[in-house]
Every structure is written in C-alpha cells, then in structure tokens.
Amino acid sequence: MIFIADGQLKSVNINRSMIYWVPLFLFWLIWSVSLGSQNILIVFENYWQSSITMIAGSFVAGATPLGGGAVAFPVFTKIMQVSSSDASFFSLLIQSVGMTFATLFFISRNTMINWKVIRYACIGSFLAYPVSFIYISLENITVRFIFSEFIVFCAFIMLWKKQNQHLKSKSMYWAVLFGFFGGLLTAKIGSGCDVILYFYLVFICQYCAKDSIPTTVCFMAINSIYASVWLLFTSTPSEFVVGSWWASAPIVSIGAPLGAYVLSKLRANQTVIMIISIISIEVLSSLLFAPFSIMNKVTILITITTLLIYTVWQKNVKS
C-alpha cells in the first residue's frame, strides 16, 4: 500500500485539475482574440437566442446521455424555425466544444470512462457517417420521430432494469453495431449516438445508469469532432451556424462541465429521475410543436401508454 502525505495528495489533485483548466483558459483566450471586443458584442446581439438555448443544452450534455443536440435541434427547428440541416450542423459543431470540455473535466477528476467500449463503438460510428451523409436520404421529421420513439424506450428501460455496480462482460461486436446505428442517427439530427451507446451500456450490459454517462459523453465528444470535420470538408456552414457557434462556444465550455459536476453530486436514482424528466419534456414538445402527422403522434402516445401499463403490471407482479 502506498501512503501519500496530505500536501502531496493536494498537489496531485491540483495538477490533475489543470487537464481541464489550462485548455479552458487557452480556448477563451483564442476565442476572444479571434473575435475582438467589437465583434463579441455584435455576435451576442445577433445570436443571443442560440446562446440562451445552449445554457440549457450544455448542462444537459454534461449531466445526461442525451447530448446538447437533443436540446438544440428541437428548439432550433420547432421554435426558431431554423432548417434541420443547419440545426444538425450547429449541434455537431457546438458539441465538439462542450462535450470535449466535459470529457476533460471527467478526466481531471479521475472519473471512470470505459475506453474499450468507446474504441469499439467508434469503429461502427465512424463507418456510419459517410454512409449516412452520402447514401441515406431521410426527411428529418422522420428521423426525429424515430428518435422520439427510441428515447421513450430508453426512459422506460431505466425504470425496468436493475442497475448493477459492475459492467458485465459482453461481446464488443455489439458495441460496434450500436455505434454504427448511433452514427447513422447522429449524422441526421446532430445527436443520438450517445443515447444509443447508453442503451447498450444500461440494457445490454446492465451497467449503472449514472456511471455510464461519462462514457457516453466522451463518445459523443469524439463523434461530434469527427462528424464536424467531415462536414466542414464537404460543405460550407451557413452564416447562422457560424454566428451561433461563436456566440455559444464559451458558454458550453463551462456549461457542460458544470453539468458533469452536478452529475457527480447526484445519487443514481436522482440521475435517472432527471434524465426521464428531460426525455418527457423532449417527447411532449415533439407532440406539441413538431410537424408530426396524426399517425406519428398516435403511435408515440400508444407506445407511451403500452409501456406505462407494462411497467405498472411488472411492479405489481414483483410486489
């Protein structure tokens, strides 16, 4: 056993915390110098709506497996009437900042991240992006419907499954497969691969809901960077996307790590309640504001009703 004096231990913790604070300082310095004081005011004046949206979006990105795009995409497309392609592009670009800093924050606090699962899942997701960008053409409203249905299942899975303390050994081929489907979804709406990896960790591997989130955050950060680079090389972002990024980038660099910090302070059941609440808001907003067909809305309501009945029945059987 190795004993470390209090002073030495404090020094180690301070040095490790620099993994987050030094990049954050450099990022803010580069951001402010690149824009200049006059342009900073202009950017915030023109794109303040994006900044406000990402205050909530970045917190969700760091504290849950949903990603900042799960907030940005519906708000931009439903409320701000931004095109789905711009909303998706922005989601990927801004998550490249926020979720990267959240990952650095987790690393600086020595939080457990399952790098093996991430490596295998990235094999699948990295293969999926060119397939989705080039060969798959779906209406974004269809993808949004699929996503809404999927996260409804995720919410109820968190209610059904008994959370274990240790990750069970599962074939990594499943991680590749789930990563691939996550990449297909993320290429269309700017988020989703973290939710699908969360599904894999909690449902397939029966991992603790709270402890799986840092892994999904890191996975989404890597995928956001990869997809953003792909898009920047193959297309040109609109003025709205660029301006919104400049106005939101410094906010998410702090907001996502703040969400990560709050996550570290919550108990597992509190984390589940928070995630289910956010999912409920997203699904409800989709039913109220998204231009779904009547059939799509009825399908979502039937799914929720069926899962509620099944959940109540399961609890009665166990009791």
Side-chain angles (χ1 to χ4, degrees):
M1 183 177 292
I2 300 174
F3 293 94
I4 302 176
D6 290 342
Q8 290 176 314
L9 182 59
K10 184 176 181 181
S11 176
V12 170
N13 290 337
I14 291 174
N15 290 338
R16 191 173 185 88
S17 70
M18 293 299 102
I19 294 174
Y20 168 70
W21 290 108
V22 170
L24 179 67
F25 172 77
L26 292 175
F27 177 78
W28 271 70
L29 180 63
I30 294 170
W31 174 84
S32 58
V33 170
S34 299
L35 270 183
S37 57
Q38 252 187 337
N39 287 333
I40 288 175
L41 294 175
I42 294 172
V43 162
F44 279 113
E45 182 180 350
N46 292 335
Y47 300 100
W48 60 269
Q49 302 98 324
S50 303
S51 301
I52 292 176
T53 300
M54 292 317 301
I55 292 174
S58 60
F59 181 85
V60 168
T64 75
L66 301 178
V71 174
F73 188 91
V75 170
F76 282 12
T77 56
K78 297 171 191 174
I79 299 176
M80 297 172 61
Q81 301 301 312
V82 175
S83 70
S84 55
S85 59
D86 280 352
S88 176
F89 204 156
F90 170 79
S91 296
L92 290 169
L93 288 174
I94 204 64
Q95 285 171 156
S96 299
V97 177
M99 302 191 84
T100 296
F101 277 106
T103 299
L104 292 175
F105 180 81
F106 282 131
I107 294 173
S108 73
R109 295 176 66 88
N110 205 25
T111 304
M112 188 190 70
I113 296 174
N114 195 315
W115 295 103
K116 182 179 179 181
V117 168
I118 289 174
R119 286 197 301 271
Y120 279 90
C122 280
I123 293 173
S125 63
F126 283 13
L127 291 173
Y129 287 110
V131 173
S132 187
F133 283 139
I134 299 172
Y135 298 108
I136 298 180
S137 179
L138 287 175
E139 292 185 7
N140 275 281
I141 192 63
T142 302
V143 181
R144 170 53 63 183
F145 168 72
I146 295 171
F147 183 68
S148 295
E149 280 279 282
F150 186 82
I151 63 173
V152 166
F153 276 98
C154 283
F156 282 94
I157 284 166
M158 283 185 281
L159 294 175
W160 294 339
K161 299 299 290 184
K162 179 182 178 181
Q163 307 302 315
N164 297 322
Q165 294 299 318
H166 301 287
L167 184 66
K168 292 186 175 181
S169 177
K170 294 291 180 181
S171 171
M172 288 295 104
Y173 291 114
W174 282 103
V176 175
L177 181 62
F178 276 78
F180 183 82
F181 284 116
L184 293 179
L185 182 62
T186 301
K188 295 304 178 186
I189 64 171
S191 64
C193 68
D194 44 355
V195 179
I196 291 185
L197 186 67
Y198 185 79
F199 180 90
Y200 166 78
L201 291 170
V202 174
F203 184 72
I204 303 297
C205 299
Q206 298 183 13
Y207 196 41
C208 174
K210 176 183 174 180
D211 291 345
S212 66
I213 293 174
T215 299
T216 65
V217 170
C218 180
F219 181 59
M220 188 71 246
I222 295 170
N223 278 266
S224 295
I225 294 171
Y226 177 84
S228 295
V229 171
W230 180 279
L231 285 174
L232 289 171
F233 271 104
T234 57
S235 59
T236 303
S238 68
E239 183 180 342
F240 172 82
V241 170
V242 174
S244 294
W245 185 91
W246 282 107
S248 304
I251 292 172
V252 302
S253 67
I254 296 176
L258 177 61
Y261 174 77
V262 171
L263 171 67
S264 68
K265 299 299 180 182
L266 294 177
R267 294 193 295 271
N269 63 325
Q270 292 174 324
T271 304
V272 171
I273 291 172
M274 181 175 67
I275 295 170
I276 291 175
S277 299
I278 294 170
I279 289 175
S280 301
I281 293 171
E282 200 283 334
V283 174
L284 182 62
S285 67
S286 294
L287 289 172
L288 293 176
F289 301 112
F292 286 151
S293 66
I294 296 297
M295 182 59 67
N296 285 344
K297 292 183 178 181
V298 169
T299 302
I300 293 174
L301 289 173
I302 290 174
T303 302
I304 294 172
T305 303
T306 303
L307 292 175
L308 273 173
I309 293 172
Y310 181 78
T311 301
V312 172
W313 177 76
Q314 282 284 86
K315 289 189 175 182
N316 289 335
V317 169
K318 289 180 181 179
S319 61

